[in-house]
Amino acid sequence: MTKVLVATDKPFAAIAVKQIREVVESAGFELVLLEKYTQKSQLLEAVADVDAIIIRSDIVDSDVIAAAKNLKIVVRAGAGYDNVDLDAATKANVCVMNTPGQNSNAVAELVLGMMVFMARHGFNGSSGSELMGKTIGIHAYGNVGRNVARVAKGFGMNVVAFDPYAEAAIKADGVELFTDIKAFYAACNYVSLHIPANAQTVKSINYDLLNCMPKGGVLVNTARKEVIDEEGLVKLMAERADIKYISDIIPGNAAVFAEKFAGRYFFTPKKMGAQTEEANINAGIAAARQIAGFINNGDATFKVNK
Ligand code: 3PG
């Protein structure tokens, strides 16, 4: 029987697992669950005889691909697939997919939630500031960026965006388009990052770019820590006491922030942008359905490797 492994270091909500199981079993497959594993060896053991794997930010590297002798497909239940070795998958004839858009609203709500939290000084009772009338810049206008624009408009924010690949979508949504990245950062009280982590973007959010932000600028990162030049950000925050950083991913140099920048940063303890029942259900069910479609009908929609 076709075996589908759900391997999640950070588990889906129980209700999502129940619904994933229903989709998998009604396709005639068996579901195997590996949650909260702590060792790579547990994952290597669990993949040994499975045909398909559903993951979140779990690392599927060449060792995992090599250990999964029957593997045909890996679906990343979410947007970013920088945690999967695409070359190793392609060489082993394994299809890799993501589930674009399924957790976007959850991430967008967290963006605005963290912004309010910072603007109100962590709800410590002191006088803060409002989001209405401020400018938010959306750096990369994909599914999450578009949802951030929608929610930010609800707060009465002025929404602008930079994304050379999505200019038509930006204009269609009535969002102001910037084509010069430095002018874009200079125009924004808040910049919300939605770029993927890849060879072009790693460390691209650097000192020179962030230094363009106006007084009181806040950088919001629900993308990936790798896109930030962390040393450059620390240098900037040391020079400019007005700059703040909010992130859903703890940076490599978090101890420096704790030591030097109290009150000017906020990090979630564990990446939780997509950590809602709704997003878990949407992304998990989409992943299960995509596996059924691929194995039963050869449907390769959402394939991300060559
Ligand atoms: C994504 O790329 O979809 C988000 O970063 C969510 O990641 P997670 O499933 O590990 O929470």
Side-chain angles (χ1 to χ4, degrees), residues 6 8 10-25 31 33 35 54 56 77 102-103 274-289:
V6 174
T8 46
K10 181 176 60 186
F12 290 121
I15 187 173
V17 176
K18 184 170 173 283
Q19 294 188 30
I20 293 166
R21 182 181 295 282
E22 283 165 12
V23 174
V24 167
E25 291 180 352
L31 185 105
L33 204 53
E35 291 182 324
I54 296 174
R56 298 185 63 177
Q102 300 293 343
N103 57 24
Q275 204 51 334
T276 65
E277 284 186 354
E278 293 89 341
N280 291 172
I281 290 169
N282 292 343
I285 286 185
R289 287 194 179 133

Side-chain angles (χ1 to χ4, degrees), residues 1 65-66 86 164-165 202 224 274 289:
M1 189 191 266
I65 303 272
L86 297 186
Y165 304 102
V202 167
R224 292 290 183 270
R289 287 194 179 133

Side-chain angles (χ1 to χ4, degrees), residues 53 173 209 247 268:
I53 311 176
D173 285 358
L209 191 57
S247 180
T268 53

